[in-house]
Amino acid sequence: MSETEQNLILAFETSCDETSVSVVKNGTEILSNMIATQVKSHQRFGGVVPEVASRHHVEIITMLITEALEKAGVTYQDLDAVAVTKGPGLVGALLIGISAAKAVAMAYNLPLIGTNHIAGHIKAANLVDKVEYPALALVVSGGHTELVSMKTPSDYEIIGDTRDDAAGESYDKVGRVMGINYPAGKTIDEMAHQGSETFDFPRAMMKEDNYDFSFSGLKSAFINTVHHADQVGETLDKNDLATSFQSAVVEVLVHKTVKAIAEYQPKTFILAGGVAANQGLRQALTEAINQQFPDLKVIIPPLRLCGDNAAMIGAAAYQQFLDQDFSDMSLNAEPGLEFPYEGE
Amino acid sequence: MQFVTQDESQTMAFGQQLGQLVTPKTLILLDGDLGAGKTTLTKGIATALGVKRPIKSPTFTIVREYLKGRLPLFHMDMYRLEDGDMSSIDLQSYFDQGPVIVMEWSVNVLDQLPEDYLRIKIERLDNEIDSTKRHFILEAIGEKNNELIEELKKTSFSG
Protein backbone atom coordinates (compact mmCIF):
# COMPACT_ATOMS: atom_id res chain seq x y z
CA MET A 1 0.00 0.00 0.00
CA SER A 2 1.30 3.45 -0.89
CA GLU A 3 1.83 6.31 1.51
CA THR A 4 -1.03 8.29 0.08
CA GLU A 5 -3.53 5.50 0.38
CA GLN A 6 -6.17 5.89 3.05
CA ASN A 7 -6.67 2.90 5.22
CA LEU A 8 -9.84 3.13 7.20
CA ILE A 9 -10.43 0.85 10.17
CA LEU A 10 -13.77 0.49 11.91
CA ALA A 11 -12.92 -0.32 15.53
CA PHE A 12 -14.94 -1.70 18.45
CA GLU A 13 -14.19 -1.55 22.18
CA THR A 14 -16.55 -3.22 24.67
CA SER A 15 -14.22 -4.78 27.23
CA CYS A 16 -15.70 -3.23 30.37
CA ASP A 17 -17.75 -0.12 31.15
CA GLU A 18 -17.77 1.62 27.82
CA THR A 19 -19.32 0.79 24.49
CA SER A 20 -17.36 2.53 21.77
CA VAL A 21 -17.15 2.50 17.97
CA SER A 22 -14.66 4.51 15.96
CA VAL A 23 -13.36 5.10 12.45
CA VAL A 24 -9.59 5.68 12.34
CA LYS A 25 -7.56 6.64 9.27
CA ASN A 26 -4.05 5.19 8.88
CA GLY A 27 -3.86 4.46 12.59
CA THR A 28 -3.26 8.10 13.42
CA GLU A 29 -6.30 10.18 12.58
CA ILE A 30 -9.65 9.90 14.37
CA LEU A 31 -12.54 10.40 11.98
CA SER A 32 -15.06 9.52 14.66
CA ASN A 33 -14.93 8.09 18.18
CA MET A 34 -18.37 7.44 19.65
CA ILE A 35 -18.37 6.48 23.32
CA ALA A 36 -21.35 5.51 25.45
CA THR A 37 -20.43 5.40 29.11
CA GLN A 38 -22.44 3.64 31.77
CA VAL A 39 -20.69 4.88 34.86
CA LYS A 40 -23.85 6.59 36.08
CA SER A 41 -25.94 3.46 36.09
CA HIS A 42 -23.13 1.72 37.97
CA GLN A 43 -22.60 4.18 40.75
CA ARG A 44 -25.29 2.78 42.96
CA PHE A 45 -23.76 -0.69 42.68
CA GLY A 46 -20.28 0.50 43.57
CA GLY A 47 -18.74 -0.70 40.35
CA VAL A 48 -19.00 -2.52 37.07
CA VAL A 49 -21.94 -4.85 36.67
CA PRO A 50 -21.14 -7.31 33.91
CA GLU A 51 -24.66 -8.41 33.14
CA VAL A 52 -25.99 -4.87 33.10
CA ALA A 53 -22.92 -3.98 31.04
CA SER A 54 -23.57 -6.70 28.46
CA ARG A 55 -27.22 -5.80 28.02
CA HIS A 56 -26.32 -2.14 27.65
CA HIS A 57 -23.61 -2.87 25.07
CA VAL A 58 -26.05 -4.80 22.87
CA GLU A 59 -28.68 -2.11 22.96
CA ILE A 60 -26.47 0.68 21.81
CA ILE A 61 -23.79 -0.87 19.62
CA THR A 62 -25.74 -0.84 16.35
CA MET A 63 -26.72 2.73 16.97
CA LEU A 64 -23.07 3.63 17.58
CA ILE A 65 -21.92 1.99 14.32
CA THR A 66 -24.31 4.15 12.33
CA GLU A 67 -23.24 7.25 14.21
CA ALA A 68 -19.53 6.50 13.85
CA LEU A 69 -19.81 6.02 10.08
CA GLU A 70 -21.98 9.12 9.64
CA LYS A 71 -19.72 11.30 11.73
CA ALA A 72 -16.69 10.07 9.78
CA GLY A 73 -18.51 10.72 6.51
CA VAL A 74 -17.81 7.23 5.20
CA THR A 75 -19.80 4.12 4.32
CA TYR A 76 -19.13 0.42 4.90
CA GLN A 77 -17.74 0.27 1.35
CA ASP A 78 -14.95 2.71 2.25
CA LEU A 79 -13.59 0.53 5.06
CA ASP A 80 -10.40 -1.52 4.78
CA ALA A 81 -10.64 -3.59 7.97
CA VAL A 82 -12.64 -4.17 11.13
CA ALA A 83 -10.87 -4.29 14.51
CA VAL A 84 -12.14 -5.30 17.92
CA THR A 85 -10.81 -5.72 21.45
CA LYS A 86 -10.41 -9.47 22.07
CA GLY A 87 -9.15 -9.10 25.66
CA PRO A 88 -8.46 -8.61 28.48
CA GLY A 89 -11.90 -7.83 29.84
CA LEU A 90 -15.21 -9.32 30.90
CA VAL A 91 -16.10 -12.21 28.65
CA GLY A 92 -19.76 -11.23 28.18
CA ALA A 93 -18.88 -7.66 27.33
CA LEU A 94 -16.04 -8.62 24.97
CA LEU A 95 -18.28 -10.99 23.03
CA ILE A 96 -20.69 -8.19 22.17
CA GLY A 97 -17.96 -6.27 20.36
CA ILE A 98 -16.55 -9.41 18.77
CA SER A 99 -19.96 -10.46 17.43
CA ALA A 100 -20.61 -7.01 16.01
CA ALA A 101 -17.15 -6.87 14.40
CA LYS A 102 -17.55 -10.33 12.87
CA ALA A 103 -20.94 -9.41 11.47
CA VAL A 104 -19.54 -6.34 9.72
CA ALA A 105 -16.41 -8.18 8.52
CA MET A 106 -18.48 -11.00 7.08
CA ALA A 107 -21.15 -8.83 5.48
CA TYR A 108 -18.62 -6.55 3.76
CA ASN A 109 -15.84 -9.08 3.22
CA LEU A 110 -13.31 -7.16 5.31
CA PRO A 111 -10.28 -8.47 7.18
CA LEU A 112 -10.93 -8.95 10.91
CA ILE A 113 -8.36 -7.87 13.50
CA GLY A 114 -8.46 -8.98 17.15
CA THR A 115 -6.65 -6.42 19.27
CA ASN A 116 -5.23 -6.39 22.80
CA HIS A 117 -6.94 -3.76 24.94
CA ILE A 118 -3.67 -2.73 26.62
CA ALA A 119 -1.96 -2.35 23.24
CA GLY A 120 -4.84 0.01 22.46
CA HIS A 121 -4.15 2.16 25.52
CA ILE A 122 -0.50 2.41 24.50
CA LYS A 123 -1.15 3.05 20.80
CA ALA A 124 -3.51 5.90 21.70
CA ALA A 125 -0.20 7.78 21.60
CA ASN A 126 -0.20 7.46 17.79
CA LEU A 127 -3.34 9.58 17.69
CA VAL A 128 -1.36 12.39 19.32
CA ASP A 129 2.16 12.27 17.92
CA LYS A 130 4.61 10.04 16.11
CA VAL A 131 6.02 7.32 18.35
CA GLU A 132 9.68 6.51 17.77
CA TYR A 133 11.06 3.12 18.75
CA PRO A 134 12.25 1.63 20.98
CA ALA A 135 9.50 2.94 23.20
CA LEU A 136 8.50 2.46 26.82
CA ALA A 137 5.00 2.79 28.25
CA LEU A 138 3.60 2.99 31.75
CA VAL A 139 0.06 1.63 31.65
CA VAL A 140 -1.98 2.54 34.72
CA SER A 141 -5.67 1.79 35.04
CA GLY A 142 -8.24 0.15 37.29
CA GLY A 143 -6.98 -3.32 36.43
CA HIS A 144 -3.40 -2.70 35.30
CA THR A 145 -0.10 -1.24 36.43
CA GLU A 146 2.52 -2.28 33.90
CA LEU A 147 5.75 -1.03 32.42
CA VAL A 148 5.79 -2.21 28.82
CA SER A 149 8.85 -2.19 26.57
CA MET A 150 8.42 -2.04 22.79
CA LYS A 151 11.50 -2.69 20.68
CA THR A 152 9.38 -2.35 17.52
CA PRO A 153 5.80 -1.19 16.88
CA SER A 154 4.68 -4.83 16.93
CA ASP A 155 6.43 -6.12 20.07
CA TYR A 156 5.17 -5.69 23.61
CA GLU A 157 6.98 -7.05 26.65
CA ILE A 158 6.11 -6.50 30.30
CA ILE A 159 9.20 -5.49 32.25
CA GLY A 160 7.34 -4.54 35.44
CA ASP A 161 3.92 -5.37 36.84
CA THR A 162 1.93 -5.03 40.03
CA ARG A 163 2.20 -7.96 42.42
CA ASP A 164 -1.25 -7.35 43.89
CA ASP A 165 -3.57 -4.36 43.43
CA ALA A 166 -3.50 -2.13 40.38
CA ALA A 167 -2.86 1.56 41.01
CA GLY A 168 -6.38 2.56 39.93
CA GLU A 169 -7.91 -0.13 42.07
CA SER A 170 -6.10 1.11 45.17
CA TYR A 171 -7.72 4.51 44.56
CA ASP A 172 -11.15 2.88 44.48
CA LYS A 173 -10.43 0.85 47.62
CA VAL A 174 -9.23 3.73 49.79
CA GLY A 175 -12.09 5.74 48.29
CA ARG A 176 -14.46 3.12 49.68
CA VAL A 177 -12.99 3.66 53.16
CA MET A 178 -13.46 7.44 52.84
CA GLY A 179 -17.01 7.08 51.51
CA ILE A 180 -16.20 8.29 47.99
CA ASN A 181 -18.26 6.96 45.09
CA TYR A 182 -16.79 4.69 42.41
CA PRO A 183 -14.75 5.57 40.46
CA ALA A 184 -12.83 7.43 43.17
CA GLY A 185 -9.68 8.40 41.25
CA LYS A 186 -10.74 11.82 40.05
CA THR A 187 -12.15 12.90 43.43
CA ILE A 188 -9.05 11.75 45.34
CA ASP A 189 -6.81 13.50 42.80
CA GLU A 190 -8.74 16.75 43.41
CA MET A 191 -8.69 16.33 47.19
CA ALA A 192 -4.96 15.60 47.04
CA HIS A 193 -4.37 19.07 45.60
CA GLN A 194 -6.06 20.67 48.59
CA GLY A 195 -4.36 18.81 51.44
CA SER A 196 -0.84 18.33 52.67
CA GLU A 197 1.22 15.21 53.23
CA THR A 198 0.79 14.61 56.96
CA PHE A 199 0.65 10.80 56.98
CA ASP A 200 3.70 8.71 56.28
CA PHE A 201 2.39 5.90 54.08
CA PRO A 202 4.71 3.14 52.86
CA ARG A 203 6.35 3.15 49.42
CA ALA A 204 6.63 -0.50 48.48
CA MET A 205 9.40 -2.14 46.46
CA MET A 206 11.36 1.07 45.98
CA LYS A 207 14.70 -0.54 46.71
CA GLU A 208 14.17 -3.83 44.97
CA ASP A 209 16.07 -4.47 41.81
CA ASN A 210 13.10 -4.86 39.50
CA TYR A 211 10.32 -2.81 37.95
CA ASP A 212 7.45 -4.38 39.86
CA PHE A 213 4.91 -2.59 42.00
CA SER A 214 2.82 -3.40 45.07
CA PHE A 215 -0.04 -1.31 46.39
CA SER A 216 -1.61 -3.75 48.82
CA GLY A 217 0.55 -2.65 51.78
CA LEU A 218 -0.28 0.98 51.12
CA LYS A 219 -3.98 0.11 51.07
CA SER A 220 -3.68 -1.73 54.42
CA ALA A 221 -1.72 1.13 56.01
CA PHE A 222 -4.37 3.56 54.85
CA ILE A 223 -7.23 1.46 56.20
CA ASN A 224 -5.44 0.91 59.52
CA THR A 225 -4.86 4.64 59.91
CA VAL A 226 -8.52 5.43 59.32
CA HIS A 227 -9.77 2.62 61.60
CA HIS A 228 -7.40 3.62 64.41
CA ALA A 229 -8.74 7.14 64.27
CA ASP A 230 -12.32 5.85 64.31
CA GLN A 231 -11.59 3.74 67.39
CA VAL A 232 -10.18 6.62 69.41
CA GLY A 233 -12.84 9.00 68.11
CA GLU A 234 -10.43 11.17 66.16
CA THR A 235 -11.43 12.82 62.88
CA LEU A 236 -8.77 12.83 60.18
CA ASP A 237 -8.56 15.46 57.47
CA LYS A 238 -9.67 13.66 54.30
CA ASN A 239 -7.74 15.98 52.02
CA ASP A 240 -4.54 15.26 53.96
CA LEU A 241 -5.27 11.55 53.72
CA ALA A 242 -5.77 11.90 49.96
CA THR A 243 -2.55 13.91 49.53
CA SER A 244 -0.52 11.43 51.56
CA PHE A 245 -1.99 8.46 49.68
CA GLN A 246 -1.50 9.99 46.25
CA SER A 247 2.08 11.01 47.07
CA ALA A 248 2.90 7.42 47.94
CA VAL A 249 1.37 6.04 44.72
CA VAL A 250 2.91 8.67 42.47
CA GLU A 251 6.36 8.46 44.04
CA VAL A 252 6.63 4.73 43.41
CA LEU A 253 5.32 5.01 39.85
CA VAL A 254 7.72 7.83 39.00
CA HIS A 255 10.68 6.14 40.68
CA LYS A 256 10.29 2.86 38.81
CA THR A 257 9.53 4.56 35.50
CA VAL A 258 12.62 6.76 35.68
CA LYS A 259 14.73 3.72 36.53
CA ALA A 260 13.31 1.81 33.55
CA ILE A 261 13.93 4.74 31.19
CA ALA A 262 17.54 4.89 32.35
CA GLU A 263 18.06 1.21 31.60
CA TYR A 264 16.02 0.77 28.41
CA GLN A 265 16.89 4.12 26.79
CA PRO A 266 13.66 4.48 24.84
CA LYS A 267 13.20 7.18 22.21
CA THR A 268 9.59 7.72 23.27
CA PHE A 269 7.89 7.40 26.63
CA ILE A 270 4.11 6.94 26.76
CA LEU A 271 1.84 7.33 29.79
CA ALA A 272 -1.31 5.32 29.11
CA GLY A 273 -4.53 4.06 30.70
CA GLY A 274 -7.32 5.59 32.75
CA VAL A 275 -5.09 6.67 35.64
CA ALA A 276 -3.00 8.68 33.14
CA ALA A 277 -5.79 11.23 33.61
CA ASN A 278 -4.50 11.80 37.16
CA GLN A 279 -3.07 15.32 37.35
CA GLY A 280 -0.71 14.52 40.22
CA LEU A 281 0.86 11.66 38.25
CA ARG A 282 1.09 13.61 34.98
CA GLN A 283 2.79 16.49 36.69
CA ALA A 284 5.29 14.47 38.72
CA LEU A 285 6.25 12.22 35.80
CA THR A 286 6.65 15.08 33.36
CA GLU A 287 8.82 17.01 35.82
CA ALA A 288 11.05 14.05 36.61
CA ILE A 289 11.53 13.18 32.95
CA ASN A 290 12.19 16.77 31.86
CA GLN A 291 14.83 17.01 34.54
CA GLN A 292 16.63 13.73 33.96
CA PHE A 293 15.94 12.96 30.31
CA PRO A 294 15.38 16.33 28.62
CA ASP A 295 15.70 14.83 25.12
CA LEU A 296 13.18 12.03 25.61
CA LYS A 297 9.95 12.39 23.68
CA VAL A 298 7.01 12.10 26.07
CA ILE A 299 3.48 11.40 24.89
CA ILE A 300 0.59 11.62 27.31
CA PRO A 301 -2.69 11.27 25.44
CA PRO A 302 -5.38 13.84 26.26
CA LEU A 303 -7.94 12.85 28.89
CA ARG A 304 -10.57 11.80 26.33
CA LEU A 305 -8.16 9.18 24.93
CA CYS A 306 -6.93 7.87 28.32
CA GLY A 307 -10.19 6.15 29.19
CA ASP A 308 -11.50 3.19 27.21
CA ASN A 309 -12.40 4.14 23.63
CA ALA A 310 -12.46 2.47 20.23
CA ALA A 311 -10.12 4.95 18.48
CA MET A 312 -7.20 3.54 20.48
CA ILE A 313 -8.16 0.06 19.24
CA GLY A 314 -8.16 1.38 15.67
CA ALA A 315 -4.71 2.87 16.27
CA ALA A 316 -3.29 -0.39 17.63
CA ALA A 317 -5.02 -2.47 14.95
CA TYR A 318 -3.41 -0.43 12.17
CA GLN A 319 0.00 -1.93 13.00
CA GLN A 320 -1.60 -5.39 12.84
CA PHE A 321 -3.12 -4.37 9.50
CA LEU A 322 0.37 -3.52 8.20
CA ASP A 323 1.70 -6.79 9.67
CA GLN A 324 -1.24 -8.69 8.09
CA ASP A 325 -1.99 -10.02 11.56
CA PHE A 326 -5.59 -10.98 10.81
CA SER A 327 -8.08 -13.26 12.56
CA ASP A 328 -10.63 -15.57 11.00
CA MET A 329 -14.26 -16.02 12.05
CA SER A 330 -13.21 -18.28 14.93
CA LEU A 331 -11.92 -15.20 16.81
CA ASN A 332 -12.93 -15.59 20.44
CA ALA A 333 -12.77 -13.46 23.58
CA GLU A 334 -9.60 -13.85 25.65
CA PRO A 335 -10.65 -12.48 29.06
CA GLY A 336 -7.22 -13.09 30.63
CA LEU A 337 -5.09 -11.91 27.69
CA GLU A 338 -1.71 -10.53 28.79
CA PHE A 339 1.52 -9.45 27.12
CA PRO A 340 4.45 -11.80 27.63
CA TYR A 341 6.85 -10.99 30.44
CA GLU A 342 10.33 -10.04 29.35
CA GLY A 343 12.30 -13.15 28.46
CA GLU A 344 9.23 -15.41 28.62
CA MET B 1 -12.50 -26.42 61.98
CA GLN B 2 -10.76 -23.31 63.21
CA PHE B 3 -7.26 -22.13 64.04
CA VAL B 4 -5.12 -19.02 64.35
CA THR B 5 -2.22 -17.94 62.16
CA GLN B 6 0.40 -15.68 63.72
CA ASP B 7 1.42 -13.72 60.67
CA GLU B 8 1.23 -13.39 56.90
CA SER B 9 3.76 -16.14 56.26
CA GLN B 10 1.59 -18.63 58.17
CA THR B 11 -1.47 -17.55 56.23
CA MET B 12 0.55 -18.15 53.07
CA ALA B 13 1.69 -21.56 54.38
CA PHE B 14 -1.90 -22.55 55.07
CA GLY B 15 -2.82 -21.52 51.52
CA GLN B 16 -0.05 -23.75 50.20
CA GLN B 17 -1.26 -26.65 52.30
CA LEU B 18 -4.78 -26.13 51.00
CA GLY B 19 -3.54 -25.78 47.42
CA GLN B 20 -2.10 -29.28 47.58
CA LEU B 21 -5.47 -30.74 48.56
CA VAL B 22 -7.82 -29.03 46.14
CA THR B 23 -9.24 -30.93 43.17
CA PRO B 24 -11.06 -29.83 40.00
CA LYS B 25 -14.25 -27.93 40.86
CA THR B 26 -13.21 -27.18 44.44
CA LEU B 27 -15.03 -23.95 45.24
CA ILE B 28 -13.56 -21.91 48.06
CA LEU B 29 -15.63 -19.00 49.35
CA LEU B 30 -13.40 -16.50 51.06
CA ASP B 31 -14.85 -14.04 53.57
CA GLY B 32 -12.96 -11.26 55.32
CA ASP B 33 -12.56 -7.50 55.41
CA LEU B 34 -10.21 -5.46 53.25
CA GLY B 35 -6.70 -6.35 54.40
CA ALA B 36 -7.73 -9.56 56.21
CA GLY B 37 -5.44 -11.68 54.06
CA LYS B 38 -7.69 -13.05 51.33
CA THR B 39 -5.15 -12.32 48.61
CA THR B 40 -2.30 -13.80 50.69
CA LEU B 41 -4.25 -17.03 51.15
CA THR B 42 -5.00 -17.15 47.42
CA LYS B 43 -1.31 -16.64 46.67
CA GLY B 44 -0.53 -19.67 48.82
CA ILE B 45 -3.08 -21.80 46.95
CA ALA B 46 -1.75 -20.59 43.59
CA THR B 47 1.85 -21.32 44.57
CA ALA B 48 0.91 -24.88 45.48
CA LEU B 49 -0.83 -25.24 42.13
CA GLY B 50 2.35 -24.14 40.35
CA VAL B 51 1.05 -20.79 39.12
CA LYS B 52 4.09 -18.68 38.26
CA ARG B 53 2.51 -15.31 37.53
CA PRO B 54 1.72 -12.94 40.40
CA ILE B 55 -1.79 -13.23 41.86
CA LYS B 56 -3.33 -9.83 41.29
CA SER B 57 -6.46 -8.44 42.81
CA PRO B 58 -9.58 -9.42 40.83
CA THR B 59 -11.70 -6.59 42.23
CA PHE B 60 -11.65 -4.46 39.10
CA THR B 61 -11.61 -7.26 36.53
CA ILE B 62 -14.04 -9.46 38.56
CA VAL B 63 -12.37 -12.65 37.30
CA ARG B 64 -8.69 -13.47 36.88
CA GLU B 65 -7.84 -16.77 35.24
CA TYR B 66 -4.59 -18.64 35.89
CA LEU B 67 -4.43 -21.49 33.42
CA LYS B 68 -0.85 -22.67 33.58
CA GLY B 69 -0.73 -24.49 36.93
CA ARG B 70 -1.45 -28.12 37.89
CA LEU B 71 -5.15 -27.21 37.75
CA PRO B 72 -6.73 -24.07 36.32
CA LEU B 73 -7.39 -21.49 39.05
CA PHE B 74 -10.07 -18.80 38.75
CA HIS B 75 -9.83 -15.99 41.28
CA MET B 76 -13.15 -14.13 41.40
CA ASP B 77 -14.38 -11.11 43.31
CA MET B 78 -18.13 -10.56 43.40
CA TYR B 79 -17.83 -7.25 45.22
CA ARG B 80 -19.06 -5.26 42.26
CA LEU B 81 -22.12 -7.40 41.76
CA GLU B 82 -23.88 -5.73 44.67
CA ASP B 83 -27.28 -5.86 43.09
CA GLY B 84 -30.44 -7.88 43.60
CA ASP B 85 -31.12 -8.48 39.92
CA MET B 86 -28.16 -10.52 38.72
CA SER B 87 -30.12 -13.55 37.56
CA SER B 88 -28.50 -13.67 34.14
CA ILE B 89 -24.84 -13.25 35.03
CA ASP B 90 -23.43 -16.46 33.70
CA LEU B 91 -21.55 -17.76 36.73
CA GLN B 92 -22.51 -21.29 35.74
CA SER B 93 -20.30 -21.08 32.65
CA TYR B 94 -17.33 -20.50 34.94
CA PHE B 95 -18.26 -23.43 37.20
CA ASP B 96 -18.76 -25.65 34.15
CA GLN B 97 -15.13 -25.23 33.12
CA GLY B 98 -14.19 -27.18 36.25
CA PRO B 99 -11.40 -25.02 37.65
CA VAL B 100 -10.46 -24.50 41.27
CA ILE B 101 -12.31 -21.32 42.19
CA VAL B 102 -11.45 -18.90 44.96
CA MET B 103 -14.36 -16.50 45.29
CA GLU B 104 -14.48 -13.34 47.36
CA TRP B 105 -17.70 -11.53 48.28
CA SER B 106 -19.79 -14.61 47.43
CA VAL B 107 -22.56 -13.11 49.57
CA ASN B 108 -23.53 -11.11 46.49
CA VAL B 109 -24.26 -14.26 44.45
CA LEU B 110 -25.42 -16.71 47.13
CA ASP B 111 -28.41 -17.94 45.15
CA GLN B 112 -26.22 -18.92 42.20
CA LEU B 113 -23.68 -21.09 44.01
CA PRO B 114 -23.37 -24.86 43.66
CA GLU B 115 -24.36 -27.04 46.60
CA ASP B 116 -20.89 -27.94 47.75
CA TYR B 117 -18.20 -25.54 48.72
CA LEU B 118 -15.59 -24.77 51.36
CA ARG B 119 -16.22 -21.53 53.20
CA ILE B 120 -13.22 -19.86 54.84
CA LYS B 121 -13.77 -16.91 57.09
CA ILE B 122 -10.74 -14.82 58.08
CA GLU B 123 -11.06 -12.52 61.08
CA ARG B 124 -8.67 -10.17 62.78
CA LEU B 125 -7.97 -11.30 66.32
CA ASP B 126 -8.79 -9.28 69.45
CA ASN B 127 -10.00 -6.37 67.39
CA GLU B 128 -6.38 -5.29 67.11
CA ILE B 129 -6.01 -3.38 63.91
CA ASP B 130 -2.24 -3.71 63.56
CA SER B 131 -2.12 -7.33 64.63
CA THR B 132 -0.91 -9.84 62.07
CA LYS B 133 -2.79 -12.67 63.82
CA ARG B 134 -5.77 -14.08 61.98
CA HIS B 135 -8.55 -16.37 63.10
CA PHE B 136 -9.59 -18.89 60.42
CA ILE B 137 -12.98 -20.60 60.49
CA LEU B 138 -13.59 -23.34 57.93
CA GLU B 139 -16.95 -24.78 57.03
CA ALA B 140 -17.35 -27.59 54.52
CA ILE B 141 -20.53 -28.28 52.58
CA GLY B 142 -20.61 -31.55 50.65
CA GLU B 143 -18.77 -34.83 51.01
CA LYS B 144 -15.70 -33.90 48.98
CA ASN B 145 -15.09 -30.81 51.06
CA ASN B 146 -15.60 -32.70 54.33
CA GLU B 147 -12.85 -35.07 53.21
CA LEU B 148 -10.67 -32.08 52.41
CA ILE B 149 -11.15 -30.76 55.94
CA GLU B 150 -10.29 -34.17 57.40
CA GLU B 151 -7.03 -34.05 55.45
CA LEU B 152 -6.35 -30.52 56.69
CA LYS B 153 -6.87 -31.64 60.27
CA LYS B 154 -3.89 -33.97 59.86
CA THR B 155 -1.64 -30.99 59.13
CA SER B 156 -0.16 -28.43 61.50
CA PHE B 157 -3.25 -26.28 60.95
CA SER B 158 -5.42 -28.50 63.11
CA GLY B 159 -6.24 -25.73 65.57
Side-chain angles (χ1 to χ4, degrees):
Chain A
M1 54 211 85
S2 71
E3 279 293 308
T4 50
E5 193 178 337
Q6 285 193 9
N7 288 304
L8 297 184
I9 294 182
L10 177 72
F12 293 86
E13 155 62 39
T14 61
S15 64
C16 192
D17 285 286
E18 269 77 40
T19 314
S20 179
V21 184
S22 169
V23 179
V24 176
K25 184 170 124 186
N26 296 337
T28 55
E29 193 184 326
I30 302 175
L31 299 189
S32 63
N33 192 18
M34 317 310 292
I35 306 172
T37 303
Q38 327 163 239
V39 145
K40 278 198 182 111
S41 66
H42 286 165
Q43 263 166 3
R44 76 191 171 92
F45 306 128
V48 182
V49 186
E51 177 257 350
V52 173
S54 299
R55 201 184 292 161
H56 191 84
H57 285 307
V58 175
E59 278 168 16
I60 60 177
I61 200 158
T62 27
M63 198 175 77
L64 286 183
I65 298 174
T66 313
E67 284 180 11
L69 292 172
E70 269 175 20
K71 176 105 190 286
V74 300
T75 65
Y76 284 112
Q77 280 73 22
D78 298 322
L79 301 173
D80 296 282
V82 183
V84 60
T85 305
K86 65 176 174 181
L90 299 165
V91 66
L94 288 167
L95 285 172
I96 307 293
I98 291 174
S99 307
K102 279 183 185 173
V104 175
M106 193 177 260
Y108 297 94
N109 199 23
L110 293 165
L112 178 66
I113 303 171
T115 298
N116 181 314
H117 178 77
I118 305 301
H121 275 302
I122 296 171
K123 288 283 157 80
N126 290 0
L127 303 167
V128 180
D129 202 344
K130 187 169 166 43
V131 177
E132 288 169 53
Y133 293 87
L136 184 82
L138 173 65
V139 184
V140 268
S141 70
H144 295 269
T145 312
E146 290 164 14
L147 275 164
V148 180
S149 155
M150 286 155 286
K151 293 189 182 106
T152 75
S154 310
D155 292 318
Y156 304 86
E157 263 188 341
I158 297 180
I159 61 164
D161 195 357
T162 180
R163 300 270 181 93
D164 37 57
D165 295 0
E169 184 169 1
S170 68
Y171 273 85
D172 289 331
K173 282 185 175 166
V174 306
R176 223 190 270 174
V177 177
M178 288 197 286
I180 298 167
N181 280 345
Y182 170 93
K186 188 159 180 270
T187 311
I188 293 177
D189 189 20
E190 285 163 3
M191 290 163 70
H193 282 83
Q194 292 159 35
S196 43
E197 192 176 348
T198 54
F199 302 94
D200 188 18
F201 290 134
R203 275 84 166 139
M205 309 194 67
M206 291 283 272
K207 294 196 178 115
E208 287 172 52
D209 190 24
N210 58 39
Y211 301 107
D212 288 346
F213 306 96
S214 165
F215 296 104
S216 166
L218 170 60
K219 172 189 71 187
S220 300
F222 187 98
I223 294 167
N224 289 348
T225 303
V226 172
H227 284 181
H228 254 310
D230 284 350
Q231 275 189 342
V232 298
E234 192 186 338
T235 311
L236 302 177
D237 186 295
K238 285 190 178 172
N239 289 342
D240 289 350
L241 278 170
T243 310
S244 310
F245 168 77
Q246 175 142 308
S247 300
V249 173
V250 167
E251 194 180 320
V252 179
L253 289 174
V254 171
H255 173 82
K256 294 268 172 161
T257 301
V258 164
K259 206 170 113 178
I261 292 172
E263 186 188 331
Y264 286 81
Q265 302 276 322
K267 290 189 176 146
T268 311
F269 170 76
I270 300 160
L271 178 61
V275 181
N278 184 290
Q279 290 298 334
L281 178 61
R282 283 176 172 242
Q283 228 172 337
L285 252 182
T286 313
E287 273 171 28
I289 291 174
N290 285 346
Q291 230 173 45
Q292 300 184 47
F293 312 99
D295 299 330
L296 177 63
K297 186 175 201 173
V298 176
I299 305 179
I300 307 180
L303 299 188
R304 70 194 159 84
L305 295 178
C306 286
D308 293 351
N309 67 89
M312 70 183 201
I313 300 303
Y318 181 65
Q319 185 60 44
Q320 292 173 276
F321 181 79
L322 297 178
D323 295 343
Q324 308 247 315
D325 176 12
F326 300 130
S327 299
D328 60 26
M329 284 296 149
S330 66
L331 177 68
N332 205 351
E334 294 182 48
L337 184 65
E338 283 187 309
F339 293 135
Y341 280 25
E342 191 181 35
E344 221 175 38
Chain B
M1 178 181 180
Q2 46 183 304
F3 57 88
V4 170
T5 58
Q6 296 300 319
D7 55 27
E8 205 177 327
S9 69
Q10 279 196 5
T11 297
M12 177 86 182
F14 170 63
Q16 287 177 311
Q17 189 66 254
L18 182 57
Q20 286 170 27
L21 298 172
V22 293
T23 52
K25 291 201 173 184
T26 298
L27 172 62
I28 298 168
L29 308 181
L30 214 45
D31 298 340
D33 293 337
L34 275 181
K38 299 189 293 285
T39 305
T40 304
L41 183 72
T42 309
K43 279 182 183 170
I45 295 169
T47 306
L49 287 173
V51 174
K52 296 264 183 332
R53 288 221 162 187
I55 295 297
K56 294 187 271 184
S57 166
T59 307
F60 184 83
T61 54
I62 298 174
V63 183
R64 289 213 192 252
E65 301 179 9
Y66 302 91
L67 305 176
K68 292 188 177 160
R70 175 171 67 82
L71 298 169
L73 171 70
F74 287 9
H75 188 194
M76 310 173 82
D77 186 343
M78 302 292 109
Y79 179 81
R80 287 158 185 270
L81 311 189
E82 226 176 338
D83 173 19
D85 179 34
M86 295 303 296
S87 51
S88 61
I89 177 182
D90 201 2
L91 267 184
Q92 193 58 45
S93 69
Y94 289 102
F95 299 137
D96 288 346
Q97 295 174 54
V100 175
I101 294 180
V102 175
M103 184 186 282
E104 303 183 18
W105 285 91
S106 59
V107 65
N108 289 344
V109 293
L110 273 189
D111 55 341
Q112 295 168 63
L113 297 179
E115 285 171 358
D116 47 352
Y117 52 79
L118 181 67
R119 183 182 289 282
I120 302 179
K121 195 171 179 185
I122 314 177
E123 289 175 336
R124 287 164 198 271
L125 215 60
D126 312 325
N127 213 11
E128 285 175 39
I129 280 158
D130 288 340
S131 173
T132 57
K133 291 185 187 177
R134 295 291 186 270
H135 183 203
F136 280 74
I137 305 164
L138 276 63
E139 176 200 12
I141 306 291
E143 193 182 338
K144 196 179 82 168
N145 296 308
N146 275 310
E147 284 168 16
L148 200 159
I149 286 219
E150 289 309 313
E151 287 300 314
L152 276 176
K153 281 180 181 167
K154 295 176 193 163
T155 70
S156 55
F157 299 97
S158 53

